[in-house]
Amino acid sequence: MAAKEALLHVPGYALLDLRAGIESADTKWRFELWGRNVTDKFYNVGTTLLADYTVRFTGMPAAYGAALHYRL
């Protein structure tokens, strides 16, 4: 691999997202807990050359949340 190609290489990665929830028997409401990138992996999603600089774009860090859904 040439030096320029090596700078632009984006290695593969895997992320772990989780979601769990409960729902009422009549399906009127649902509660969920979720997490994205729960292992907080640092990863590169893209690389570009800008003049004499190599710019790397990183992915999102870990995020967690909850959701409550209700149907009328």
Side-chain angles (χ1 to χ4, degrees), residues 6-61:
L7 286 174
L8 295 174
H9 178 71
V10 177
Y13 58 89
L15 302 176
L16 178 62
D17 295 348
L18 299 172
R19 181 177 299 266
I22 58 172
E23 184 176 62
S24 66
D26 62 0
T27 68
K28 283 236 180 225
W29 62 268
R30 183 174 74 239
F31 178 74
E32 297 175 340
L33 295 173
W34 57 267
R36 292 187 186 119
N37 189 13
V38 297
T39 59
D40 202 23
K41 180 171 182 69
F42 184 82
Y43 59 103
N44 180 10
V45 296
T47 305
T48 189
L49 288 176
L50 183 62
D52 290 337
Y53 299 96
T54 302
V55 180
R56 291 190 171 86
F57 302 95
T58 58
M60 297 294 291

